[in-house]
Amino acid sequence: MSTQANPAASSPSSAMAPSSTIGTTLAPLLTVLIWSGNVIVTEAAAGVISPGSISFYRWFLAFIVLLPFVAKGVWERRAVLVHHWWRLACLGALGMVIYQSLAYEAAKTTTAVNMGVMLALMPLLSTLLASILAGERLTTGRILGGVVSLAGLIYLTSHGAPASLLTGGFHSGDGMMLVAVLANSLYGVMLRRWTIPLTMWQQLFWQIGFSTLLLLPIWLMGTISPITSANLPLVLYAAIPTSLLAPLCWMIGIQKLGAARTSLFINLLPIVVAALAWGILGEQLFSYHFIGGALALIGVGLGLREAKVARGETVEGGDLAAWETEEL
């Protein structure tokens, strides 16, 4: 199942070559497309299945689906788990439990506008954390890209009236959402920094496994919804594309582009969701969608220009070869 990677093929300079950069940007872009579809699924799930139940079911099902494909490799590298289990557990908690659980709770006491603005802070937080913890350069381009995208998403989520954000007050859900965004930003940085000698599929498998264990008591203590014919399609979408393909593509993006650059793709989420809502749900698009979306795209473009690094620049952290040696 595993093959030996050519060290030269995974060197920083070749990984950041123009053609490779274009290829690696497709991974986080696909993640955003999947997450956008999951927003529609989440809306459809309201009243059909409890948040705690769909969270637990999706990760448990993803764990079961992935198990037969990685079981042999996981068993052969069980010694790695003994040594790095706490890192894998932390990654699962940050990227798959804390963010999503707090976002569900935040939605009960804050507005979608406030949540959108908090989400737009992720690229800037990721840039700062990556500089402090992972040694990524804090450049003008990254900061400018984050600020421009933040401005665009504030304009978009406030429906063209940013001043309205000042009159809404601060809710407890805002604090929860801020912690959630910080956790997801930290996930990307630590994934980049920690070198764990496992393939990407094996790392994903253990992260999902630990997140399932952490979600088990939340599921048991909350409202338990049975799986029915009405909610099964929603669970399947959340389990396969959202819980398997999306995290995998996001991890690839972080390893190749870095946490700061990859987080910029988050700013495309409201744009894609608006397009899906227009195409699938028949919702109207207004000028603020286009103006805010354009600013967000410009910010992403400014940040991604940093991917064209000079030849010979070193990229600290991350076992790049290990992320390229496993095919499912």
Side-chain angles (χ1 to χ4, degrees):
M1 197 170 192
S2 298
T3 58
Q4 293 298 321
N6 183 353
S10 56
S11 64
S13 60
S14 64
M16 288 302 177
S19 60
S20 179
T21 299
I22 293 174
T24 52
T25 57
L26 294 178
L29 181 58
L30 179 58
T31 303
V32 170
L33 293 175
I34 294 173
W35 282 346
S36 299
N38 194 54
V39 172
I40 305 300
V41 168
T42 302
E43 291 291 332
V48 179
I49 185 172
S50 67
S53 292
I54 193 171
S55 295
F56 175 75
Y57 294 153
R58 61 179 283 194
W59 292 116
F60 179 69
L61 182 56
F63 182 84
I64 297 299
V65 170
L66 194 54
L67 178 60
F69 296 99
V70 300
K72 180 180 178 181
V74 163
W75 177 252
E76 291 174 348
R77 300 189 186 185
R78 58 190 181 278
V80 177
L81 174 64
V82 174
H83 186 67
H84 294 280
W85 70 269
W86 65 273
R87 291 180 175 177
L88 293 165
C90 285
L91 290 173
L94 290 170
M96 301 175 181
V97 177
I98 295 177
Y99 172 74
Q100 293 174 1
S101 297
L102 287 180
Y104 278 129
E105 290 300 318
K108 297 178 181 178
T109 55
T110 190
T111 64
V113 171
N114 286 14
M115 292 180 70
V117 173
M118 294 292 179
L119 192 64
L121 290 173
M122 190 177 296
L124 290 177
L125 288 174
S126 295
T127 297
L128 294 175
L129 290 174
S131 176
I132 296 171
L133 301 176
E136 293 188 20
R137 291 188 305 152
L138 186 61
T139 63
T140 303
R142 294 186 190 180
I143 297 175
L144 182 60
V147 170
V148 172
S149 288
L150 176 61
L153 291 188
I154 288 177
Y155 191 84
L156 188 155
T157 55
S158 65
H159 294 186
S164 64
L165 298 176
L166 301 177
T167 61
F170 188 86
H171 309 277
S172 60
D174 296 329
M176 293 181 187
M177 195 63 194
L178 186 58
V179 173
V181 168
L182 180 61
N184 209 29
S185 301
L186 186 59
Y187 168 82
V189 173
M190 301 317 295
L191 179 66
R192 176 76 168 177
R193 181 178 181 181
W194 284 337
T195 300
I196 303 176
L198 293 173
T199 66
M200 57 182 175
W201 288 108
Q202 292 165 1
Q203 284 207 42
L204 180 60
F205 173 79
W206 285 121
Q207 289 180 39
I208 290 175
F210 282 114
S211 67
T212 302
L213 289 177
L214 292 171
L215 284 168
L216 179 59
I218 298 176
W219 174 59
L220 292 175
M221 291 185 295
T223 302
I224 299 178
S225 301
I227 295 180
T228 65
S229 58
N231 62 40
L232 179 59
L234 306 177
V235 173
L236 289 176
Y237 184 90
I240 308 302
T242 309
S243 299
L244 281 179
L245 297 181
L248 176 67
C249 292
W250 196 247
M251 291 159 73
I252 291 173
I254 289 170
Q255 288 294 331
K256 292 295 188 178
L257 297 176
R261 299 185 198 105
T262 303
S263 66
L264 286 168
F265 284 86
I266 288 286
N267 289 329
L268 300 178
L269 186 64
I271 303 173
V272 179
V273 170
L276 289 177
W278 170 74
I280 298 176
L281 303 179
E283 295 185 5
Q284 284 186 288
L285 294 180
F286 299 95
S287 60
Y288 57 78
H289 287 109
F290 297 100
I291 296 173
L295 285 173
L297 286 173
I298 291 172
V300 172
L302 289 172
L304 289 180
R305 286 186 62 191
E306 295 293 322
K308 299 177 180 180
V309 298
R311 290 184 180 275
E313 177 182 343
T314 58
V315 179
E316 297 182 12
D319 183 7
L320 296 184
W323 289 83
E324 296 176 342
T325 57
E326 183 80 358
E327 295 182 0
L328 190 61

